[in-house]
Amino acid sequence: MAKGRLGSFSLFKRKKIRKTGSPVNGLPKAVAFVDYEHWYISMERLHNQKPDIQGWFDDLKKRCNIVEVVFFANFSRFKEKETETKRIRAFTNKIIDTYNPDLRYKKDYTDFIILDNIYQKAFQEDSADLFIIFSGDGHFSSAAAFIKNFCNKQV
């Protein structure tokens, strides 16, 4: 059984990933995964400010063609949950609330949910040329290496 799994992985690894092609402006097609919980809490604690979502998008538009952006956070930790989701919705409707209502487990699943979404997107052949993982920690370095080395994508 392990050989079968390895065989599937080997086929994926050997398979040539077809480049999706860039539009006329020559910038890579990109998907972005935003650890908004980390971004928000860091900005609030360190600078007493909220994330500059508009400025972030403006900077991205200079560097790539954004195909999809997904924001992840446990919004139960936010003082103004509705205000923050409204701010994000001005740019994307892809917001994943990672709140875990199970009282027995206090684990924050945000990183696991982001990883799951990254790997799902990585296995979609024509998803993008560039993967943007916007987070303040190193929890995604293995996923970044996988996307770069096995999927032949930029991270």
Side-chain angles (χ1 to χ4, degrees), residues 35-86:
D35 184 351
Y36 192 68
E37 184 176 341
H38 190 279
W39 188 14
Y40 182 89
I41 292 169
S42 297
M43 290 297 295
E44 187 178 59
R45 285 184 185 161
L46 297 174
H47 305 289
N48 201 27
Q49 296 179 356
K50 292 185 178 187
D52 180 7
I53 302 170
Q54 179 69 58
W56 185 78
F57 267 93
D58 290 346
D59 187 50
L60 274 185
K61 288 176 186 176
K62 295 175 191 171
R63 301 167 188 247
C64 60
N65 294 303
I66 306 165
V67 175
E68 180 179 8
V69 178
V70 186
F71 282 73
F72 301 84
N74 175 355
F75 286 98
S76 69
R77 298 178 67 181
F78 288 63
K79 295 175 212 164
E80 303 167 346
K81 175 183 177 175
E82 287 75 26
T83 303
E84 285 310 303
T85 53
K86 271 186 187 177

